[in-house]
């Protein structure tokens, strides 16, 4: 069990592409079981969707704003952050917030002031962050950009333009600019698989007896296959916003949630990832200690096979479907 000597505010900041949506689904479904272990997972409008397995930003978006992250919506209120923590403190309970948005930390000064306000209440802070092998992370990050229609580039060209190889290191650097190193619980995502929620409960939250928890094998927000990626690249130029792109990508994801994504990478792409990410990988692994992440996991295949291309007819059909989504305002309900 968790040391109850001091109320702890757990901040699960992701990282992105480390099963965060799945963990948020399981946390929402196990809100009562967490409370039985004296951990409050505060209510949020996202919890109903999360319980259904939908992709959400978690219950920590308001906390991210409390840390200084900027959001276009003024409807996000931070007024209940300190009262929620104070209430847990009075009841001898811990608090858990989860959202990738808490990893932004662009305004370190505001973030430090917010964290100091929590410490002043008499609480300790623990930041939970999963890290994964660089090539695996880059492939998953690329798939996410494709899903939202952000890029139409092939993987190698995207690597040249993106900062994917060093993104995990930048998040860690920002976190170390706000939190003390001993406050960061750094974990290896690949070690946590295939039972990531159990790993989170035992290794991140320190819960030994997990018999009260629901464990559901499910995939939330999987990566795209090679063909799905090509289809999205053909459709993206037609879309005018990410919402339209997500209609198309969600249709593919939700219709075949258990489909395995492509795990192939060229030696050229691998060298790009190594050159841009190796220095940051050393910093990450210093924090991970005896459970380091690698340049690439054993699931990655390195080969020089030519990239598959859509035929002209396939490309035309994909563009036509994108036009229907854009102008027909197609809305697919997966419930």
């Amino acid at each position: 069990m968790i040391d109850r000597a001091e109320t702890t505010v757990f901040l699960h900041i992701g990282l992105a592409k480390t099963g965060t949506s799945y963990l948020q689904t399981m946390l929402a479904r196990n809100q009562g079981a967490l409370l039985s272990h004296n951990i409050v997972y505060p209510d949020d409008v996202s919890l109903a969707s999360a319980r259904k397995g939908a992709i959400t930003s978690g219950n920590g978006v308001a906390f991210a704003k409390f840390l200084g992250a900027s959001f276009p919506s003024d409807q996000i209120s931070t007024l209940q952050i300190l009262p929620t923590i104070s209430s847990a403190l009075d009841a001898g309970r811990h608090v858990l917030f989860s959202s990738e948005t808490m990893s932004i930390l662009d305004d370190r000064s505001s973030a430090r002031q917010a964290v100091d306000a929590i410490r002043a209440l008499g609480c300790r802070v623990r930041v939970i962050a999963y890290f994964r092998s660089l090539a695996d992370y880059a492939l998953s990050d690329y798939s996410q950009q494709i899903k939202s229609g952000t890029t139409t580039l092939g993987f190698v060209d995207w690597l040249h333009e993106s900062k994917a190889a060093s993104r995990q290191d930048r998040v860690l650097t920002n976190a170390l600019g706000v939190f003390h190193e001993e406050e960061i619980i750094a974990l290896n995502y690949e070690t946590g698989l295939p039972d990531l929620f159990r790993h989170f409960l035992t290794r991140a939250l320190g819960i030994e007896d997990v018999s009260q928890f629901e464990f559901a094998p499910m995939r939330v927000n999987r990566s795209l296959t090679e063909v799905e990626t090509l289809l999205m690249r053909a459709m993206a130029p037609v879309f005018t916003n990410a919402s339209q792109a997500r209609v198309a990508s969600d249709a593919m994801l939700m219709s075949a949630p258990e489909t395995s994504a492509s795990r192939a990478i060229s030696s050229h792409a691998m060298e790009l990832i190594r050159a841009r990410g190796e220095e940051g990988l050393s910093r990450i692994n210093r924090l991970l200690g005896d459970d380091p992440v690698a340049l690439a996991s054993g699931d990655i295949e390195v080969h020089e096979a030519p990239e598959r291309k859509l035929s002209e007819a396939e490309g035309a059909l994909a563009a036509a479907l994108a036009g229907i989504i854009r102008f027909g305002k197609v809305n697919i309900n997966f419930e």
Side-chain angles (χ1 to χ4, degrees), residues 5 7 19-20 59 63 92 99 104 107 110 119 140 180 183 221 229 231 244 256-257 265-266 310 323-324:
T7 293
T20 305
N59 74 339
F63 200 102
S99 180
I104 299 172
D107 187 345
S110 294
R119 296 189 188 113
S140 189
H180 305 315
E183 292 178 323
N221 197 22
T229 297
L231 289 170
Q244 294 169 3
I265 192 171
S266 69
L310 295 179
I324 293 172

Side-chain angles (χ1 to χ4, degrees), residues 32-98:
L34 287 166
L35 190 60
S36 72
H37 286 269
N38 271 349
I39 301 174
V40 177
Y41 190 63
D43 285 328
D44 183 80
V45 293
S46 70
L47 264 59
S49 295
R51 291 188 183 106
K52 298 176 184 177
I55 300 167
T56 73
S57 295
N59 74 339
V61 175
F63 200 102
K65 187 173 182 180
F66 180 67
L67 290 173
S70 59
F71 296 96
S73 173
D74 292 330
Q75 298 179 354
I76 301 171
S77 173
T78 64
L79 294 178
Q80 291 303 310
I81 297 297
L82 292 180
T84 296
I85 296 172
S86 295
S87 178
L89 179 63
D90 293 341
R93 290 172 172 160
H94 311 284
V95 187
L96 169 61
F97 294 97
S98 175

Side-chain angles (χ1 to χ4, degrees), residues 1 37 201-202 206-213:
M1 285 295 293
H37 286 269
L201 293 173
T202 57
I207 299 174
E208 296 177 1
D209 179 8
V210 297
S211 59
Q212 292 177 279
F213 289 88

Side-chain angles (χ1 to χ4, degrees), residues 195-211:
D195 203 347
L196 188 63
F197 185 49
R198 188 182 302 271
H199 188 267
F200 182 89
L201 293 173
T202 57
R203 295 292 302 277
L205 300 182
I207 299 174
E208 296 177 1
D209 179 8
V210 297
S211 59

Side-chain angles (χ1 to χ4, degrees), residues 8 64 107 125 194 220:
T8 301
D107 187 345
V125 178
V220 180

Side-chain angles (χ1 to χ4, degrees), residues 96-176:
L96 169 61
F97 294 97
S98 175
S99 180
E100 294 173 14
T101 57
M102 291 190 292
S103 69
I104 299 172
L105 298 175
D106 289 331
D107 187 345
R108 294 189 192 179
S109 177
S110 294
R112 282 193 290 265
Q113 291 178 25
V115 175
D116 284 342
I118 293 172
R119 296 189 188 113
L121 292 175
C123 303
R124 65 178 182 176
V125 178
R126 291 294 181 268
V127 178
I128 304 166
Y130 275 94
F131 297 89
R132 66 187 298 186
S133 299
L134 298 192
D136 301 67
Y137 183 89
L139 278 173
S140 189
D141 191 12
Y142 171 65
S143 182
Q144 190 67 29
Q145 304 309 311
I146 292 290
K147 280 188 268 186
S148 62
T150 305
T151 184
T152 60
L153 296 174
F155 183 56
V156 171
D157 291 335
W158 176 79
L159 280 174
H160 277 291
E161 293 194 2
S162 78
K163 298 179 180 179
S166 60
R167 186 162 291 134
Q168 294 184 97
D169 177 47
R170 291 204 314 279
V171 171
L172 174 59
T173 299
N174 283 341
L176 289 172

